[in-house]
Amino acid sequence: ALKQRLDTLLLDSEALYDIKYSIDCGHSEEAIYQCEQKIRKGSKYTTWCLKTQAALYLEKNNFPSARKIYQKTLDNRPLVWARLGLARVLFGEEQYTEAESQLKEIIENHSLCLPAYDLLAEVYLKLNKKKAAQNILFDAVSLSPLAIQRLIKLGELCVQNQDYDLATEAFRNAIEHGEQSVYQHASNYLHFARCLNETSQNLDQDIKHQRNDEALKHIDTARERFIKEQTEDIKFQSSMIEARVHKTCDRDDEAEKALEEAQQFYLMLAAELPTEQSMEYAQTLFTLGKEDEAEMVLTQLSAMNANNPSLIRKIEEMRDE
């Protein structure tokens, strides 16, 4: 049965070779024209060509043309790929409320249509409903627990929502299931180490040390396994997390040593660092009792981002905390 399916797919690929080659070469207009030719000839690949045409229009932000294909298809048959495509058009046109309604209906009627969950999470983020985005991704992960990119996205969302327990599990699964995956990256191990440290704060001493030792092990893994891909900012993040881990376990000398490394990287990278990493550096300084230095970092950040009220609010929240 498998051989039969593979043989069919190989024949299909041969028949559609010219279109796929044009797409691979980035010649989307040519691919759209080739699809149109097959559709006009009544090819048995008409449905595939329509889907491909619409997807190419979406990539080019040609939403009216994509909408026309999806709507015409739906007028004939209520196919889920066309409904999902129409939701993508609504998303592209920033009609987020309409896209949300469409995607909820798709999920209700086709609960295994996982791309609908992913797109609905993106819609919720645009509507600033981060908790709802987390919940819908959690539902998707429950249905498909081995999708590495979705696990990583869920973990990152949980961190933003300060749900560190769920974030810990998401990153743990991403690391375990992604052992041989092309999506495995040093940042996954560092995210996991951060979460282990965060969730250990109020635990009994033995469990706290155990969890933070596990965090150190994953920091070392990130350093050793991805040595070729390691950039200065990965080293910077590793040192910051290591400093906080040691401080949590009252290993002050090791914490100071790791902080010194982080400080050296910060001096080199300060102008190019993403705001999130600068905020994390300030948090690390606060954790190690360096209030004056932390205030200096936050003051610089405030001055550089005076027109960003969201970031200013986060800075004030960190000061209050």
Side-chain angles (χ1 to χ4, degrees):
L2 176 61
K3 181 182 183 303
Q4 200 169 25
R5 292 181 68 183
L6 287 171
D7 287 344
T8 302
L9 287 169
L10 285 168
L11 289 171
D12 291 348
S13 283
E14 284 181 25
L16 300 167
Y17 177 83
D18 290 344
I19 299 172
K20 292 186 174 186
Y21 182 75
S22 295
I23 294 170
D24 288 343
C25 293
H27 302 153
S28 55
E29 289 292 348
E30 178 66 19
I32 289 170
Y33 172 77
Q34 290 168 329
C35 284
E36 187 61 36
Q37 292 301 106
K38 284 195 179 293
I39 293 166
R40 288 181 184 278
K41 291 176 182 176
S43 166
K44 70 171 185 174
Y45 300 108
T46 293
T47 300
W48 184 93
C49 289
L50 285 169
K51 286 173 70 174
T52 303
Q53 258 190 336
L56 289 168
Y57 282 133
L58 277 177
E59 283 181 15
K60 294 165 64 67
N61 293 331
N62 185 346
F63 301 121
S65 295
R67 179 192 289 274
K68 186 177 177 183
I69 292 173
Y70 292 131
Q71 194 59 63
K72 187 176 179 181
T73 302
L74 288 170
D75 289 343
N76 295 323
R77 288 175 65 194
L79 296 174
V80 67
W81 65 264
R83 294 187 66 188
L84 183 60
L86 197 55
R88 288 196 172 106
V89 169
L90 291 168
F91 180 82
E93 292 175 338
E94 299 183 6
Q95 299 182 52
Y96 301 125
T97 305
E98 293 85 348
E100 177 187 358
S101 174
Q102 177 93 345
L103 289 163
K104 281 182 174 178
E105 195 175 332
I106 293 171
I107 290 169
E108 187 177 337
N109 296 314
H110 306 276
S111 60
L112 295 179
C113 182
L114 294 172
Y117 292 78
D118 295 328
L119 185 57
L120 184 54
E122 294 298 324
V123 168
Y124 282 141
L125 289 176
K126 291 293 186 182
L127 295 171
N128 202 27
K129 298 179 178 178
K130 290 185 179 180
K131 192 65 180 176
Q134 175 184 318
N135 291 338
I136 200 69
L137 276 184
F138 180 81
D139 290 343
V141 165
S142 300
L143 291 168
S144 176
L146 303 181
I148 310 306
Q149 288 176 293
R150 192 177 292 119
L151 283 166
I152 294 167
K153 182 69 176 176
L154 174 61
E156 290 171 348
L157 259 177
C158 290
V159 169
Q160 291 178 39
N161 293 329
Q162 297 188 332
D163 187 345
Y164 291 107
D165 288 321
L166 186 53
T168 302
E169 288 311 304
F171 285 121
R172 185 189 294 280
N173 288 328
I175 288 170
E176 288 179 357
H177 298 318
E179 190 62 33
Q180 304 299 327
S181 168
V182 295
Y183 303 118
Q184 196 66 283
H185 189 266
S187 60
N188 299 340
Y189 290 88
L190 298 183
H191 278 312
F192 186 40
R194 283 187 185 95
C195 293
L196 286 168
N197 178 244
E198 285 288 344
T199 54
S200 73
Q201 302 296 332
N202 299 317
L203 299 175
D204 292 337
Q205 201 69 8
D206 289 344
I207 303 174
K208 179 190 289 188
H209 280 269
Q210 182 182 343
R211 189 159 283 205
N212 280 287
D213 286 342
E214 186 181 0
L216 290 173
K217 185 184 82 172
H218 282 88
I219 293 170
D220 289 340
T221 301
R223 286 169 170 160
E224 293 165 9
R225 180 173 174 184
F226 299 93
I227 192 165
K228 290 182 181 177
E229 297 91 345
Q230 274 213 48
T231 54
E232 297 300 317
D233 77 304
I234 291 291
K235 295 174 183 174
F236 174 53
Q237 292 178 63
S238 301
S239 300
M240 285 193 296
I241 303 165
E242 187 177 356
R244 296 200 301 276
V245 166
H246 285 307
K247 184 64 178 176
T248 301
C249 296
D250 298 320
R251 298 192 283 256
D252 292 346
D253 291 342
E254 289 93 332
E256 287 291 337
K257 184 180 176 183
L259 181 61
E260 284 175 17
E261 288 181 12
Q263 286 171 323
Q264 291 172 10
F265 286 121
Y266 180 76
L267 292 172
M268 287 191 294
L269 303 168
E272 352 171 322
L273 281 176
T275 53
E276 295 83 5
Q277 288 186 28
S278 296
M279 290 280 286
E280 185 178 5
Y281 180 57
Q283 180 195 353
T284 304
L285 290 168
F286 275 127
T287 303
L288 272 73
K290 313 280 185 183
E291 286 87 358
D292 292 341
E293 293 176 48
E295 276 294 336
M296 192 180 298
V297 172
L298 293 180
T299 302
Q300 289 172 345
L301 261 182
S302 298
M304 291 167 60
N305 298 275
N307 297 323
N308 186 340
S310 173
L311 180 62
I312 299 299
R313 187 165 60 251
K314 287 180 182 177
I315 289 171
E316 291 308 316
E317 285 172 0
M318 180 176 284
R319 284 182 171 133
D320 291 343
E321 185 181 347

